[in-house]
């Protein structure tokens, strides 16, 4: 069943108010009626079974019939640091990583990034990517919405390594552990980070900086993959190994 995301403040005691784009979707696209039941999620591991008690052009009012909490996840949270990619490729990585269960996504600026963001575009771009992540999480019927963080320098991301249990950098050339066998944490308190380079790859300095911060170089084999392909393959392998896929 589809679960539509709302924000926790839209639930007051046993009533729910929905306005804006979700109201439009429920009223005009899905033609929801009074008396029908819908499922809502607040993106923070809670779900509500709601009966519609009123719906018009301005607002949908609902009554909470049932509350559910996300079953406790037994897996580490996965963070993807993705160097900015041109055009829709970045949207695509955010969408696929969100469907596959990533907990957070951090767009990175590195030396070989082709599509450098203009300062005045950073916030609208982050908001747009957050919408893509929300829609992908809704489509995947996830309990949580991945957080798309503000774009930052790759070296800043590397320096944050200590907040993660294991930090990996996808390194297309040279040595590296296989992603299928590198040691990973177990249990929900673990946090795994992986950095994926831009179309032009990491510079030697960036790679060295990541290793000095405690990142481990990992390889996907000898084929040189497009960045978006590498991101999808890496997230799939990691999520499978962490017990979150298949
Ligand atoms: N311009 C680079 C070169 O020719 O060396 C290739 C960069 S590749 C297109 C883009 C990114 O995808 C890389 O920075 C890396 O993060 C990842 N990647 C691609 N193939 C990979 C592989 N076989 N192993 C690990 N990472 C890979």
């Amino acid at each position: 069943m589809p679960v539509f995301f709302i924000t926790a403040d839209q639930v007051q005691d046993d009533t729910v108010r929905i306005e804006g784009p979700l109201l439009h979707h429920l009223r005009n696209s899905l033609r929801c009626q009074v008396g029908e039941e819908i499922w809502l999620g607040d993106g923070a591991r809670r779900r509500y079974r709601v009966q519609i008690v009123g719906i018009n052009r301005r607002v949908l009012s609902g009554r909470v019939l049932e509350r559910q909490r996300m079953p406790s996840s037994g897996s580490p949270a996965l963070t993807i640091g993705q160097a900015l990619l041109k055009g829709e490729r970045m949207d695509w990585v955010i969408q696929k990583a969100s469907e596959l269960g990533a907990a957070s996504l951090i767009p990175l600026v590195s030396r070989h990034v082709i599509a450098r963001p203009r300062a005045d575009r950073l916030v609208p771009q982050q908001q747009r990517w957050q919408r893509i992540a929300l829609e992908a999480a809704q489509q995947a019927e996830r309990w949580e919405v991945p957080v798309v963080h503000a774009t930052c320098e790759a070296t800043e991301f590397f320096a944050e390594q200590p907040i993660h249990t294991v930090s990996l950098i996808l390194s297309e050339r040279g040595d590296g552990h296989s992603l299928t066998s590198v040691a990973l944490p177990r249990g929900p308190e673990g946090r795994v980070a992986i950095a994926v380079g831009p179309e032009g790859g990491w510079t030697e300095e960036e790679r060295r900086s990541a290793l000095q911060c405690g990142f481990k170089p990992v390889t996907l084999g000898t084929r040189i993959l497009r960045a978006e392909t590498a991101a999808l393959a890496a997230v799939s392998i990691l999520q499978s190994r962490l017990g979150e896929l298949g």
Side-chain angles (χ1 to χ4, degrees):
M1 91 236 141
V3 179
F4 302 101
F5 281 121
I6 56 172
T7 51
D9 62 0
Q10 288 177 260
V11 183
Q12 299 293 332
D13 301 325
D14 281 343
T15 57
V16 177
R17 279 177 65 85
I18 297 175
E19 297 162 318
L22 180 55
L23 164 66
H24 179 83
H25 179 63
L26 294 171
R27 181 170 179 263
N28 302 340
S29 312
L30 301 184
R31 302 207 174 286
C32 289
Q33 307 286 329
V34 169
E36 282 184 48
E37 292 182 5
I38 52 176
W39 276 96
L40 301 173
D42 64 6
R45 305 185 170 190
R46 283 182 295 260
R47 276 183 181 166
Y48 308 91
R49 182 163 60 89
V50 171
Q51 186 175 46
I52 300 172
V53 296
I55 185 166
N56 59 39
R57 271 182 313 109
R58 281 180 305 101
V59 66
L60 177 153
S61 315
R63 185 159 55 90
V64 176
L65 302 176
E66 181 187 353
R67 294 165 190 264
Q68 284 185 358
R69 267 203 171 279
M70 174 179 163
S72 58
S73 158
S75 315
L78 179 60
T79 292
I80 324 282
Q82 173 64 58
L84 292 173
L85 302 176
K86 267 182 78 175
E88 290 189 355
R89 290 193 185 118
M90 194 68 183
D91 300 358
W92 192 84
V93 169
I94 287 172
Q95 184 187 64
K96 299 313 169 195
S98 298
E99 286 177 59
L100 286 166
S104 53
L105 299 143
I106 304 172
L108 303 177
V109 176
S110 68
R111 174 96 76 76
H112 289 158
V113 159
I114 299 169
R116 276 183 179 280
R118 287 201 335 251
D120 63 341
R121 295 293 306 145
L122 284 171
V123 171
Q125 201 171 46
Q126 179 186 3
Q127 289 167 341
R128 186 166 156 277
W129 283 331
Q130 187 60 68
R131 271 197 306 278
I132 286 171
L134 182 143
E135 286 160 11
Q138 197 156 274
Q139 132 81 32
E141 295 183 7
R142 288 185 62 177
W143 284 79
E144 298 166 294
V145 180
V147 177
V148 178
H149 293 264
T151 298
C152 73
E153 291 293 332
T155 45
E156 279 176 60
F157 178 63
F158 298 153
E160 285 172 3
Q161 191 285 331
I163 65 171
H164 299 290
T165 322
V166 167
S167 298
L168 310 169
I169 178 168
L170 271 184
S171 183
E172 64 277 16
R173 295 191 192 276
D175 65 326
H177 310 262
S178 164
L179 193 57
T180 55
S181 59
V182 68
L184 293 177
R186 296 231 162 274
E189 63 290 337
R191 296 183 61 155
V192 177
I194 186 159
V196 186
E199 289 96 341
W202 299 112
T203 64
E204 207 28 55
E205 298 84 355
E206 287 164 346
R207 211 172 155 279
R208 210 176 11 258
S209 156
L211 272 56
Q212 281 162 1
C213 292
F215 276 68
K216 287 190 192 122
V218 285
T219 175
L220 289 165
T222 53
R223 297 183 190 84
I224 299 296
L225 307 173
R226 287 181 184 278
E228 61 272 27
T229 313
L232 182 68
V235 173
S236 301
I237 291 168
L238 286 173
Q239 285 293 75
S240 174
R241 292 191 59 205
L242 294 172
E244 286 293 312
L245 190 67

